[in-house]
Structures are given as structure tokens and as C-alpha cells.
Amino acid sequence: MGELNVVAASDPQLVRRFMQSLLNDLRALDIMLEKGMIESGVQRIGAEQELCLVDRFFRPAPLILDVLTALNDPDFTTELAKFNIEFNLDPVDFTGNCFSALETQLKENLAKLEAVARQFDAGIILTGILPTVRTIDLDMENMTPMDRYMALFERLRQMRGGPFEYHIRGNDELLIKQDYPSFEFCNTSFQVHFQIEPDNFVNAYNFSKLVSAPVLAVAVNSPLVLGKRLWQESRIALFQQAIDTRNISYHLRESYGRVSFAKEWIHESVTEIFQDDISRFRVMLCADIEENSLQVLADGGIPKLDALRIFNGTVYRWNRACYGISEGKPHLRIENRLLPSGPTVADEVANAAFWIGLMNGFDKSYYELPKKFDFDCIVQNFFKAARYGLDTQFEWLNGKTILPQELVKKELLPIAKAGLKKAKVNKADIDRYLQIIEARVTSRQTGAQWMLDSFNNLKERNSAEEAVVALAAGIIKRQKEGSPVHEWDVVKVEEAGNWKNKYWHVGQIMSTDLFTVQGDDLLELAANMMFWKHVSQVLVEDQNGHLVGLVTAKMLLNHFINIQSEKRDAIAVSDVMIKNPVSVPPEMTTVDAIAIMNRQQIGCLPVVKDDKLIGIVTERDFLKTSAQLLQELFKSEKKE
């Protein structure tokens, strides 16, 4: 898509021309399938690696344009957010040492990227969702300034017809609203491609749906969003809600999200997938397509099917059917989009080997799945895997209910091993990567479970802020050491580094669990809230979340001493509040914030971003921070 001049689908004439090209492409693909023009007898694998750039505080570092310029390497490319980056791996033949070669290529690219990131005082991390991402990092200012990204977001917003709402419930709950779907900035994945024989595409695609749940269950690595414990693979829920163009006002109509697991099996051909998508979803992005694919075929050429590829790039099936041309020959492949980035390169390659081995190893007993298994069951399995990882059970063939561990070890690993042997993959590669999967399942320590165990352990004695910083630092440290995640020990708070990593900015120590009132609320309500919640101040906001005032315990005491009890019912918060109180941005240093509080003789500072109230920092927060700093100093003195 980056090679084509794509624009938002807003010009009706352009959209109609694009649709004609899209329909021509679909007819051309049908003709190529009928004539046996799609490549067979060759299998290749490939991958796309997404990851995060982090600063020295283990926070998102919006440096993508600087880093790409310094890299000057066409294999590296932009992502939606300025703090994410992607690189593409060269396709390799599916045989021999293909997986260890994939691991080597990954490590070489990561080393190259890290060396350049260090020039900007930054680092890199492989993780499905960066633990230290905050709401302020999801601002549109952090979108990579490229026309096609803005065109995509504008079109999504236009089609949505209202704000984007996120509601995900796990151990904690995320409920938030945005004008643009920038929560998608959170997600990074490891996308694996496998070339499929055209004659076996239907069985292979259906089988890829069947095994999606167990493959995801062993690979989950994204349990935290904004310090909240949600799904074991929260990327699934976040992405589906971020790219949801459905207008909730049409609640009486059945409709489908552009990010989906699909609703049914395919029966005859890969073109069923594209026909279904074109029938259900409007064009979001388009371009003036110069190629007439049907004419190219008539002239004996191989069409690029650019319109189909653009449209397919805006419908996000977790198992995506793809058309491509390699060495002058057209091919079909399945893109596995459900795997997260990380926890290590070895883990990622093991996930790829497991899935590709399955795709090459299944036998005729898994053919004709529409006659053998209810599609609704595999949809339920998939979302159970995303929510609970290995801590669930699946409905399986022949009416079985089975635990993921038993399914993987007794049924799926043998199929994967057979599939890798069939392709003549080296025994050393087979043993190394499938043993990682087996050990991960046996230990029950996926990336997500390790992260949750570490986070919960840290939270017992430390703030959520310290916990996520230590977690990000611990991930980076262990990734560099290289041991797969099932061998990792839990993170210790000391891994977060010195105080600058934890307390340097106001945003690192502020409280976001706010107790607020509005100006026309009863003043006595504010007094009761302070008493109930043991706080010394209540913030006043308007209906749009803008800070308009502040009520302190001292003010209330003075007020209620001097007023008759029978008049209390008439007193509104706005009658006594401090209007337009001093506030600070989250980026301000804690030292500057303390100086303001001393100078103004005040006990708290509301924190505001883009005119919206997002937090508060108080004397109590600074006291707690000071105590922790003194502890660090004492520890360093003892070591010396």
C-alpha cells in the first residue's frame, strides 16, 4: 500500500473506478485459478516484525522518522505510531535450516536497529503491548505523519460516525473513549506468512481457523493495557474495537467488524473470502489503478491485482488470505496475524515453526471441516484463548472438551513435527523450536502469564507506575539474555533502575484514580467524598472533562464553620471552589512541580493534557516518592 498513491475513499467517481478495478481483479484471480496459473510445488515462509522504540525511562520514544533516516534500509518501514517500527524478513524456502535462518535474520536486524536507536538515547523492546504506554502516548501527535495513515483514520472516523469506544474487562476493566482509533498504536505483532498450494487452499484455510485458538493460547503475550490486567492477549480486543466502523445506532441490523475471525467456513475457493469481504465492507482507501488485470491476462502477463491487495489490506481477518508475485510467479499464502511480538526471538520463531508445521502436517482426517465441526465453536475457542490463554478449555472434534495443554502435547505437536519433517526441515531446528513450545505448555509460563505474575508480585509493595517500568526494563534485559520465556524468573523492582526512570516526570507519580464533582453539585457531596475516600481535595470538572475548579478540605472547614446548617442545601460547589486552579502538564519534571507548589503555597496540582483533566499530584505523592528515594540512597550507600 505504501508503494501506491492511496487516498481516503471520498470521491464517488474515484471509488467507482476503483471498484471496477477491484471486481476485475477478482475475476482475474478466478481465471488464474481455473487455468492453474497459481504457483504450486513450492513453499516459502516469511514474516513481518513489529516492535516498540523506548526512551531511557522505558517509555514510548516517538523517534521513528529519525531512526528510519539513520538506518537508510528499505527493509525497515513505518508503523502507525511514531514509537513503533516494522521490518520485513526475506522469504525463504520452507526446508532445511529455514527457521534458524529466520532467527538469525531477526537477530541481525534487531541488532542493527538497536545500534541506531542508541544514537538517539533509545532502545527497543519486543512485546505485544508495551506495559509503560499511557493515554498521553496515544495522542494523535504520536501518529506517524504519512498521508495514507491519516487518510485511513479519517475514513474510519467518517464511517464510524462517532467516537471510538473501548470496553474490555479482565481482572480489571478498561472503559475509554477516543475521537480517533489511536489505541491501535498499542499493538505490535509478529506476522507469519506461509505459501499454500492452490489445490489445497480451502482445506488449509479452514484448518488454520481450527488451530488458531490453541496456537494463540500458547503464544499470548499482551495482558496489560494502561496498567490494567485485561485479556491474556489484549491485542485481539483492542484491535477489533479500534478498527470497528460499525455505527452502534444500527443495533437492529446484523453487522460484522472489519477486524474479525470470520463467521463461516469456506467451501470452494479462496475467492469466497474476497467476495464476502467486498459484499460486507465499503471501500475505505482507494487509488487510481492503471492496470487492467483482465487485459494483462489476455496479453499473456501476470496481473498485480493492486486494487484487490489495497482492499484486502483494509479488512483485518486474523487469518488473512493473500495474493502475491514471487520471482515472476503468482502465489497464494495465508498470513497469520494473531501472534504477538515477543517475548524473545526464539519464542517468536518457535511460534512460527509450530503454526507452519501444523499447516503442512495436517492429514485428510482434517479435510472437509464444515461437515465435521460447528464454526461457532472455533470462534468461541479463539476468544477464550485470547481471554484466558492456557487457563481455559476448548470444544474440539468428535464432541470432545479438552484442555489446551493436552491438545497441544498429544495431538498438535505430533502434527507439527510431521509437517516439518515432511518439508525436510533440519532435525536440529525441529527439536529446538518445538521443544520450546512443549516446555512453555508444560510450565504454563507464557509471556502473558510471566508478565502477570511479575506485575502482581511487584504491585504488592510498589505502585503500579513502578511495576510497569520495572516490567518493561525486565523484559528488555531478558530479551537480551535470549532464554525463552518459560525459563524467565519474575521481575524485581530494582530492575527499573534509578529514580529518574520512576519519578522524573509528574506523569510518572500522578494519581489517575480521580474523585471529581461538577460545579452545580451539592457542596456537601464534595465534603462526604473527601471523608469517605480519605483525600484532602476534590477536583471540579465540566461535562467534557475540562478542569474548572478545586475544593480543598481547608476550604470546606472554613466554610462550614461560618454557615448556618439550614442553608447548606442551597450551596453548590461552584459557590466556593477555587476557579481555574494552577495545573501542570504530565511532562513537567517533579522538581519543577515541587517548586510551583512551594511558590504558590498549595498542597496539590491537577494534571492536564490537551485541556482535559487526567490526574493529580499531591504532597502525599511527593512524600511517598521522597521515602522511596531515601531507601534507594541508603541501599547504594551500603553497597559502597
Side-chain angles (χ1 to χ4, degrees), residues 335-454:
E335 178 187 13
N336 181 332
R337 298 176 52 81
L338 54 89
L339 296 173
S341 179
T344 66
V345 170
D347 285 302
E348 289 182 330
V349 178
N351 293 338
F354 180 43
W355 180 71
I356 291 170
L358 284 169
M359 294 302 300
N360 199 55
F362 74 99
D363 59 28
K364 291 184 178 180
S365 65
Y366 296 94
Y367 285 14
E368 298 184 337
L369 282 172
K371 298 178 181 179
K372 300 176 180 179
F373 203 47
D374 185 351
F375 195 87
D376 285 346
C377 288
I378 66 166
V379 176
Q380 292 167 17
N381 286 344
F382 177 73
F383 285 104
K384 284 194 290 187
R387 285 175 180 269
Y388 308 115
L390 294 174
D391 294 327
T392 188
Q393 56 185 16
F394 299 136
E395 302 301 316
W396 203 245
L397 298 172
N398 302 317
K400 290 193 299 185
T401 299
I402 190 168
L403 294 172
Q405 297 92 321
E406 182 182 356
L407 176 61
V408 169
K409 293 172 78 169
K410 291 185 177 179
E411 183 172 340
L412 299 185
L413 276 172
I415 294 173
K417 188 171 185 178
L420 298 178
K421 283 184 175 179
K422 179 180 172 183
K424 298 182 180 178
V425 173
N426 289 351
K427 184 178 184 300
D429 273 18
I430 296 173
D431 292 345
R432 169 171 163 72
Y433 297 112
L434 294 190
Q435 282 172 7
I436 288 175
I437 298 295
E438 184 174 12
R440 195 190 303 159
V441 170
T442 300
S443 68
R444 299 173 59 84
Q445 182 159 291
T446 59
Q449 193 57 56
W450 173 85
M451 208 176 294
L452 287 171
D453 290 344
S454 293

Side-chain angles (χ1 to χ4, degrees), residues 519-525 556 559-560 563-576:
D520 56 1
D521 284 337
L522 183 66
L523 183 63
E524 196 164 349
L525 170 64
L556 287 176
H559 183 79
F560 285 123
I563 193 155
Q564 298 175 13
S565 60
E566 61 270 14
K567 294 183 179 180
R568 290 183 180 181
D569 290 347
I571 302 170
V573 168
S574 58
D575 293 334
V576 299

Side-chain angles (χ1 to χ4, degrees), residues 1 47 101 132 142 177 200 253 257 275 277 280 290 349 355 357 386 443 497 538 561 630 635:
M1 202 178 294
T132 52
N142 273 335
K177 184 185 293 187
N200 198 34
R253 291 172 50 179
Q275 290 167 359
D277 289 343
R280 295 188 186 281
E290 296 180 2
V349 178
W355 180 71
S443 68
V538 170
I561 286 174
L630 286 171
K635 285 180 182 178

